[in-house]
Amino acid sequence: MRTAEHPSIVSSTDEPSKSAPKRRHSSIDERRVLLCSIASDAHSWNLVYVQLLLEELGYQVNNLGPCTPEALIVDECVRTRPGVLVVSTVNGHGMIEGQPLARALRRHPRLHHLPMVIGGKLGVDGASAPMLQRLIDAGFDAVFDDSRTDLVEFTELVNRLTRPVADAPPGNHRLTPGTTSR
């Protein structure tokens, strides 16, 4: 749902406490984040940034890198059982390639309840509310458009969907509004 405070963030629910889908399998590693891009996106700086942010928050991140084929994402989600999938894209094709990716993951019997987030430059000319809603309808739990990304909102969502590593090294902690990472 789009809100006046965050018009570029769409969520599949009004209730923040209910944003995490119920999980069927106990083998899911809620501390692990699988990070990837879409198949046509050759950019890596966004992936490095998101990986460093999530690791600073105490998560174990498996970064599949740029130009990630859909089949590899599905296979790695099945193999590693992450607590959340984060798709980051900056080439403007997230809307086009994100929908079939979400549908493929939701169709898989072992991934039906996997929390999924997509964000970045989702359309070459920006992203409209209907475009963002189509990504939610395809299966993403949250969509972050680059026109106004709220870092605190993103980190709070990841914290709700997963748990950070309890024994993370010093300096790894949850960010809260008004704090810095160190």
Side-chain angles (χ1 to χ4, degrees):
M1 172 178 176
R2 294 172 76 86
T3 65
E5 298 83 32
H6 302 288
S8 61
I9 300 170
V10 176
S11 176
S12 60
T13 180
D14 291 341
E15 292 284 325
S17 62
K18 295 179 182 176
S19 64
K22 291 185 170 56
R23 295 183 175 89
R24 297 183 313 176
H25 303 285
S26 61
S27 63
I28 292 173
D29 186 349
E30 292 180 339
R31 301 165 300 149
R32 182 177 313 281
V33 174
L34 186 63
L35 174 63
C36 65
S37 192
I38 55 175
S40 68
D41 195 338
H43 296 91
S44 60
W45 61 267
N46 56 313
L47 297 170
V48 172
Y49 177 83
V50 173
Q51 178 178 349
L52 292 173
L53 171 68
L54 291 169
E55 287 174 345
E56 179 68 19
L57 293 169
Y59 294 96
Q60 297 171 350
V61 179
N62 181 7
N63 185 344
L64 298 180
C67 298
T68 318
E70 182 180 296
L72 177 63
I73 297 168
V74 172
D75 291 347
E76 284 300 300
C77 285
V78 169
R79 187 181 72 77
T80 64
R81 305 296 300 177
V84 65
L85 171 68
V86 176
V87 181
S88 175
T89 179
V90 294
N91 73 346
H93 296 273
M95 176 63 189
I96 295 167
E97 294 180 54
Q99 291 177 86
L101 171 62
R103 287 187 199 108
L105 290 159
R106 291 293 180 230
R107 277 193 309 265
H108 195 286
R110 292 181 63 194
L111 304 175
H112 179 70
H113 294 290
L114 173 68
M116 300 185 308
V117 177
I118 188 169
K121 186 171 176 71
L122 301 172
V124 292
D125 293 325
S128 64
M131 287 174 63
L132 300 176
Q133 187 59 49
R134 285 196 294 273
L135 287 163
I136 291 291
D137 294 344
F140 283 101
D141 296 292
V143 176
F144 292 84
D145 177 20
D146 73 337
S147 67
R148 183 177 165 202
T149 298
D150 186 324
L151 189 58
V152 172
E153 178 84 11
F154 172 74
T155 58
E156 287 174 353
L157 176 69
V158 173
N159 284 335
R160 283 194 309 267
L161 295 174
T162 62
R163 292 185 318 241
V165 179
D167 56 351
N172 287 14
H173 58 279
R174 293 178 192 228
L175 291 178
T176 56
T179 66
T180 59
S181 61
R182 293 202 186 232

